[in-house]
Amino acid sequence: QVQLVESGGGLVQAGGSLRLSCAASGSSIGISDMGWYRQAPGKQRELVAQITRDSSLYYADSVKGRFTISRDNTKDTVILQMTSLKPEDTAVYYCNIVQSDLVGGRYPYWGQGTQVTVSS
């Protein structure tokens, strides 16, 4: 089992910045993909950014150029640096990690979610 602890959400004005952090603990051997999803009221959860173990990156079009994802494999931590925030970035942000086993199994884990609110 893997436990994820998120931190860093909050309220910020449009144009501001926030840094989200997610630390994995427990049986964290074999963590492959790490990422952040978000879910706004009345909308489906969407992938915001993802980073693989070899540092391949994915960003949603809506955040490209504004958000940066990074990871520290020695600490099993993933960071989402968010800049130039917009009101439409307001959502609950969820950390997600995928743990892979030796036979190709992939097991997703989710953080508890952290609220990001961007005021206009």
Side-chain angles (χ1 to χ4, degrees):
Q1 286 290 327
V2 176
Q3 294 79 44
L4 301 179
V5 178
E6 303 167 357
S7 60
L11 172 65
V12 65
Q13 288 188 332
S17 299
L18 282 174
R19 182 176 180 268
L20 304 183
S21 177
C22 176
S25 62
S27 180
S28 58
I29 295 174
I31 290 178
S32 53
D33 301 341
M34 304 182 84
W36 292 90
Y37 287 70
R38 67 185 181 188
Q39 187 167 19
K43 295 188 176 181
Q44 289 190 333
R45 191 173 296 189
E46 63 173 349
L47 177 60
V48 175
Q50 190 176 63
I51 182 169
T52 65
R53 189 161 185 87
D54 62 359
S55 297
S56 295
L57 301 174
Y58 166 85
Y59 292 102
D61 287 343
S62 58
V63 306
K64 283 181 181 176
R66 300 188 298 121
F67 291 10
T68 302
I69 189 169
S70 61
R71 65 189 285 172
D72 183 339
N73 291 330
T74 65
K75 298 179 180 179
D76 291 328
T77 300
V78 60
I79 303 294
L80 186 67
Q81 181 67 48
M82 304 184 293
T83 63
S84 302
L85 283 160
K86 304 175 181 180
E88 50 264 44
D89 294 318
T90 295
V92 178
Y93 284 70
Y94 296 91
C95 174
N96 169 266
I97 69 99
V98 176
Q99 190 174 41
S100 300
D101 64 23
L102 296 177
V103 294
R106 289 169 59 84
Y107 308 96
Y109 293 90
W110 295 91
Q112 78 279 8
T114 185
Q115 178 69 46
V116 171
T117 303
V118 184
S119 62
S120 57

